[in-house]
Amino acid sequence: MAAPSSLASSRLAAAAPAPQHHHQNHQLRLGCSRRRAQRLVAMAGSGKFFVGGNWKCNGTKESITKLVSDLNAATLESDVDVVVAPPFIYIDQVKSSLTDRIEVSAQNTWIGKGGAFTGEISAEQLVDIGCQWVILGHSERRHVIGEDDQFIGKKAAYALSQNLKVMACIGELLEEREAGKTFDVCFKQMKAFADNITDWKNVVIAYEPVWAIGTGKVASPEQAQEVHAAVRDWLKTNVSADVASTVRIIYGGSVNAANCAELAKKEDIDGFLVGGASLKGPDFATICNSVTSKKVTA
Ligand SMILES: O=C(CO)COP(=O)(O)O
């Protein structure tokens, strides 16, 4: 989505305001709340539903050939941005075989300009091979590899400076949730991003509670909505009302073809970051097309 493409999205079209009584009628007809309708209008161009597939450290040349061919054959709703994140070594293969309808992301990048950093991949190199996005701050990088908030924030600043778009991940551990610290943890992670990001137009925030990742234990729509709304309020207070109303906040953690529609209906859930289910083309397409749930009720 280099330039946010035609927002002939029925989602936005439905929310288009003037004149006022039409706006209200649409809200009634679509069950779309006034706040959401206003937010969608404010998003003007950048507000498409967004679904990312994080393939993590999975796949072979053979399985990725099959997955790409399934994705190429899938019918995707027009009003959804779709991005897949293969392992670094397969990005080139995916770029050269996947439809342009779907953008490509890396799962990590180096913190600055490339050079003598053995084993790292730079933002410049990703841009060079046509990769448009990078996932940063994923919980597996934070908690398995040990990346901290500041390191991740600086990576975001550098990636954006090189014109990579960023999926900025946040989320609490189970013990943090149980200790009532969910908001504290998410806001602290948000602050590290906010300290390093000046322009949010190329940023999507992914809320991924760690206890829901790869566990089959999806957050309930209410649990996810509660955090998404809190993050949006945090942005309003700490960044700007404009960023709060326009940035997309997507949910990740055991999203699948069966649970995506209910989650997608929630007002502040603007899409998904999908792990396991993104390795199955038809399931991933179903999740992308859950944008249709937004059109019915929000
Ligand atoms: O970590 C995730 C996406 O980045 C979520 O993974 P699962 O969908 O496999 O739970």
Side-chain angles (χ1 to χ4, degrees), residues 52-54 56 135 138-140 169 206 208 212-216 252-256 273-278:
N54 178 5
K56 307 193 180 184
I135 299 172
H138 191 278
S139 79
E140 287 142 21
C169 303
E208 300 204 297
I213 295 179
T215 57
S254 296
V255 175
N256 61 34
L273 187 52
V274 187
S278 74

mmCIF file of all heavy atoms in Angstrom, residues 52-54 56 135 138-140 169 206 208 212-216 252-256 273-278, ligand 1:
data_model
loop_
_atom_site.group_PDB
_atom_site.id
_atom_site.type_symbol
_atom_site.label_atom_id
_atom_site.label_comp_id
_atom_site.label_asym_id
_atom_site.label_seq_id
_atom_site.Cartn_x
_atom_site.Cartn_y
_atom_site.Cartn_z
ATOM 1 N N GLY A 52 -1.996 -8.906 8.508
ATOM 2 C CA GLY A 52 -0.631 -9.353 8.266
ATOM 3 C C GLY A 52 -0.500 -10.828 8.595
ATOM 4 O O GLY A 52 -1.110 -11.325 9.548
ATOM 5 N N GLY A 53 0.287 -11.530 7.798
ATOM 6 C CA GLY A 53 0.583 -12.940 8.076
ATOM 7 C C GLY A 53 2.045 -13.041 8.458
ATOM 8 O O GLY A 53 2.926 -12.741 7.651
ATOM 9 N N ASN A 54 2.297 -13.420 9.711
ATOM 10 C CA ASN A 54 3.672 -13.570 10.193
ATOM 11 C C ASN A 54 4.038 -15.051 10.126
ATOM 12 O O ASN A 54 3.576 -15.840 10.944
ATOM 13 C CB ASN A 54 3.751 -13.036 11.634
ATOM 14 C CG ASN A 54 5.131 -13.205 12.225
ATOM 15 O OD1 ASN A 54 6.062 -13.627 11.545
ATOM 16 N ND2 ASN A 54 5.259 -12.875 13.507
ATOM 17 N N LYS A 56 6.796 -16.372 10.689
ATOM 18 C CA LYS A 56 7.809 -16.732 11.699
ATOM 19 C C LYS A 56 8.912 -17.581 11.047
ATOM 20 O O LYS A 56 9.230 -17.385 9.877
ATOM 21 C CB LYS A 56 7.153 -17.408 12.902
ATOM 22 C CG LYS A 56 6.017 -16.546 13.465
ATOM 23 C CD LYS A 56 5.527 -16.965 14.823
ATOM 24 C CE LYS A 56 4.407 -16.040 15.272
ATOM 25 N NZ LYS A 56 3.923 -16.307 16.616
ATOM 26 N N ILE A 135 8.181 -6.084 10.710
ATOM 27 C CA ILE A 135 7.557 -6.280 12.025
ATOM 28 C C ILE A 135 8.626 -5.974 13.076
ATOM 29 O O ILE A 135 9.729 -6.522 13.009
ATOM 30 C CB ILE A 135 7.095 -7.755 12.198
ATOM 31 C CG1 ILE A 135 6.044 -8.128 11.145
ATOM 32 C CG2 ILE A 135 6.567 -7.990 13.619
ATOM 33 C CD1 ILE A 135 5.683 -9.625 11.135
ATOM 34 N N HIS A 138 8.135 -7.755 18.069
ATOM 35 C CA HIS A 138 7.340 -8.961 18.285
ATOM 36 C C HIS A 138 7.739 -9.606 19.611
ATOM 37 O O HIS A 138 8.912 -9.583 19.993
ATOM 38 C CB HIS A 138 7.541 -9.953 17.131
ATOM 39 C CG HIS A 138 6.547 -11.067 17.184
ATOM 40 N ND1 HIS A 138 6.725 -12.175 18.000
ATOM 41 C CD2 HIS A 138 5.352 -11.228 16.579
ATOM 42 C CE1 HIS A 138 5.669 -12.965 17.875
ATOM 43 N NE2 HIS A 138 4.818 -12.420 17.025
ATOM 44 N N SER A 139 6.786 -10.222 20.285
ATOM 45 C CA SER A 139 7.079 -10.770 21.621
ATOM 46 C C SER A 139 8.179 -11.823 21.586
ATOM 47 O O SER A 139 8.912 -11.996 22.556
ATOM 48 C CB SER A 139 5.810 -11.336 22.251
ATOM 49 O OG SER A 139 5.541 -12.596 21.710
ATOM 50 N N GLU A 140 8.293 -12.533 20.457
ATOM 51 C CA GLU A 140 9.367 -13.533 20.396
ATOM 52 C C GLU A 140 10.734 -12.862 20.323
ATOM 53 O O GLU A 140 11.717 -13.399 20.829
ATOM 54 C CB GLU A 140 9.102 -14.491 19.222
ATOM 55 C CG GLU A 140 7.946 -15.436 19.563
ATOM 56 C CD GLU A 140 7.014 -15.764 18.407
ATOM 57 O OE1 GLU A 140 7.412 -15.619 17.246
ATOM 58 O OE2 GLU A 140 5.858 -16.159 18.684
ATOM 59 N N CYS A 169 4.818 -3.948 17.469
ATOM 60 C CA CYS A 169 4.093 -4.898 18.328
ATOM 61 C C CYS A 169 4.249 -4.567 19.814
ATOM 62 O O CYS A 169 5.339 -4.207 20.270
ATOM 63 C CB CYS A 169 4.605 -6.309 18.102
ATOM 64 S SG CYS A 169 4.507 -6.867 16.404
ATOM 65 N N ALA A 206 0.369 -3.383 16.513
ATOM 66 C CA ALA A 206 -0.192 -4.729 16.703
ATOM 67 C C ALA A 206 -0.204 -5.049 18.195
ATOM 68 O O ALA A 206 0.857 -5.140 18.821
ATOM 69 C CB ALA A 206 0.643 -5.758 15.937
ATOM 70 N N GLU A 208 -0.530 -7.776 20.716
ATOM 71 C CA GLU A 208 -0.447 -9.236 20.746
ATOM 72 C C GLU A 208 -0.159 -9.682 22.178
ATOM 73 O O GLU A 208 1.006 -9.721 22.598
ATOM 74 C CB GLU A 208 0.686 -9.719 19.835
ATOM 75 C CG GLU A 208 0.523 -9.309 18.383
ATOM 76 C CD GLU A 208 1.290 -10.240 17.448
ATOM 77 O OE1 GLU A 208 2.523 -10.323 17.528
ATOM 78 O OE2 GLU A 208 0.630 -10.921 16.657
ATOM 79 N N ALA A 212 -1.613 -15.232 24.419
ATOM 80 C CA ALA A 212 -2.509 -15.689 23.342
ATOM 81 C C ALA A 212 -1.741 -16.144 22.107
ATOM 82 O O ALA A 212 -2.325 -16.705 21.179
ATOM 83 C CB ALA A 212 -3.466 -14.557 22.958
ATOM 84 N N ILE A 213 -0.432 -15.911 22.094
ATOM 85 C CA ILE A 213 0.349 -16.215 20.891
ATOM 86 C C ILE A 213 0.718 -17.692 20.833
ATOM 87 O O ILE A 213 1.385 -18.212 21.735
ATOM 88 C CB ILE A 213 1.630 -15.348 20.849
ATOM 89 C CG1 ILE A 213 1.250 -13.866 20.709
ATOM 90 C CG2 ILE A 213 2.535 -15.791 19.703
ATOM 91 C CD1 ILE A 213 2.439 -12.924 20.684
ATOM 92 N N GLY A 214 0.240 -18.351 19.798
ATOM 93 C CA GLY A 214 0.598 -19.751 19.573
ATOM 94 C C GLY A 214 0.019 -20.706 20.602
ATOM 95 O O GLY A 214 0.421 -21.857 20.682
ATOM 96 N N THR A 215 -0.923 -20.231 21.392
ATOM 97 C CA THR A 215 -1.454 -21.059 22.479
ATOM 98 C C THR A 215 -2.839 -21.615 22.163
ATOM 99 O O THR A 215 -3.325 -22.484 22.882
ATOM 100 C CB THR A 215 -1.589 -20.218 23.764
ATOM 101 O OG1 THR A 215 -2.445 -19.094 23.473
ATOM 102 C CG2 THR A 215 -0.250 -19.719 24.251
ATOM 103 N N GLY A 216 -3.477 -21.056 21.138
ATOM 104 C CA GLY A 216 -4.859 -21.451 20.860
ATOM 105 C C GLY A 216 -5.829 -20.745 21.795
ATOM 106 O O GLY A 216 -7.044 -20.925 21.718
ATOM 107 N N GLY A 252 -3.316 -9.580 17.477
ATOM 108 C CA GLY A 252 -2.665 -10.845 17.146
ATOM 109 C C GLY A 252 -2.658 -11.781 18.337
ATOM 110 O O GLY A 252 -2.531 -11.345 19.492
ATOM 111 N N GLY A 253 -2.767 -13.073 18.072
ATOM 112 C CA GLY A 253 -2.748 -14.078 19.135
ATOM 113 C C GLY A 253 -3.850 -15.089 18.908
ATOM 114 O O GLY A 253 -5.006 -14.839 19.257
ATOM 115 N N SER A 254 -3.486 -16.223 18.272
ATOM 116 C CA SER A 254 -4.426 -17.320 18.029
ATOM 117 C C SER A 254 -5.662 -16.913 17.217
ATOM 118 O O SER A 254 -6.745 -17.468 17.397
ATOM 119 C CB SER A 254 -4.841 -17.986 19.348
ATOM 120 O OG SER A 254 -3.716 -18.583 19.965
ATOM 121 N N VAL A 255 -5.467 -15.955 16.315
ATOM 122 C CA VAL A 255 -6.561 -15.621 15.390
ATOM 123 C C VAL A 255 -6.665 -16.748 14.367
ATOM 124 O O VAL A 255 -5.654 -17.231 13.850
ATOM 125 C CB VAL A 255 -6.279 -14.286 14.657
ATOM 126 C CG1 VAL A 255 -7.350 -14.010 13.602
ATOM 127 C CG2 VAL A 255 -6.189 -13.135 15.656
ATOM 128 N N ASN A 256 -7.887 -17.171 14.099
ATOM 129 C CA ASN A 256 -8.068 -18.195 13.067
ATOM 130 C C ASN A 256 -9.335 -17.921 12.257
ATOM 131 O O ASN A 256 -10.037 -16.926 12.515
ATOM 132 C CB ASN A 256 -8.068 -19.614 13.682
ATOM 133 C CG ASN A 256 -9.194 -19.812 14.680
ATOM 134 O OD1 ASN A 256 -10.290 -19.251 14.523
ATOM 135 N ND2 ASN A 256 -8.941 -20.609 15.711
ATOM 136 N N LEU A 273 -2.842 -9.517 13.106
ATOM 137 C CA LEU A 273 -1.529 -10.072 12.778
ATOM 138 C C LEU A 273 -1.612 -11.559 13.120
ATOM 139 O O LEU A 273 -1.859 -11.927 14.277
ATOM 140 C CB LEU A 273 -0.419 -9.361 13.561
ATOM 141 C CG LEU A 273 1.019 -9.732 13.187
ATOM 142 C CD1 LEU A 273 1.269 -9.617 11.684
ATOM 143 C CD2 LEU A 273 2.025 -8.849 13.935
ATOM 144 N N VAL A 274 -1.456 -12.381 12.113
ATOM 145 C CA VAL A 274 -1.781 -13.800 12.221
ATOM 146 C C VAL A 274 -0.513 -14.639 12.110
ATOM 147 O O VAL A 274 0.278 -14.447 11.188
ATOM 148 C CB VAL A 274 -2.743 -14.201 11.067
ATOM 149 C CG1 VAL A 274 -3.233 -15.625 11.247
ATOM 150 C CG2 VAL A 274 -3.894 -13.221 10.953
ATOM 151 N N GLY A 275 -0.333 -15.577 13.026
ATOM 152 C CA GLY A 275 0.807 -16.485 12.956
ATOM 153 C C GLY A 275 0.417 -17.786 12.281
ATOM 154 O O GLY A 275 0.309 -17.874 11.058
ATOM 155 N N GLY A 276 0.151 -18.815 13.082
ATOM 156 C CA GLY A 276 -0.108 -20.159 12.574
ATOM 157 C C GLY A 276 -1.095 -20.230 11.414
ATOM 158 O O GLY A 276 -0.823 -20.900 10.401
ATOM 159 N N ALA A 277 -2.217 -19.530 11.546
ATOM 160 C CA ALA A 277 -3.251 -19.638 10.507
ATOM 161 C C ALA A 277 -2.840 -18.954 9.201
ATOM 162 O O ALA A 277 -3.477 -19.163 8.164
ATOM 163 C CB ALA A 277 -4.579 -19.062 11.016
ATOM 164 N N SER A 278 -1.765 -18.150 9.242
ATOM 165 C CA SER A 278 -1.336 -17.500 7.992
ATOM 166 C C SER A 278 -0.522 -18.450 7.121
ATOM 167 O O SER A 278 -0.191 -18.138 5.985
ATOM 168 C CB SER A 278 -0.519 -16.236 8.298
ATOM 169 O OG SER A 278 0.770 -16.549 8.771
HETATM 170 O O1 LIG B 1 2.590 -13.942 16.991
HETATM 171 C C1 LIG B 1 1.619 -13.902 16.252
HETATM 172 C C2 LIG B 1 1.617 -13.062 15.048
HETATM 173 O O2 LIG B 1 2.710 -12.194 15.032
HETATM 174 C C3 LIG B 1 0.411 -14.722 16.534
HETATM 175 O O3 LIG B 1 0.739 -16.048 16.375
HETATM 176 P P1 LIG B 1 -0.457 -17.137 16.371
HETATM 177 O O4 LIG B 1 -1.497 -16.604 15.422
HETATM 178 O O5 LIG B 1 0.200 -18.398 15.880
HETATM 179 O O6 LIG B 1 -0.957 -17.206 17.770
#
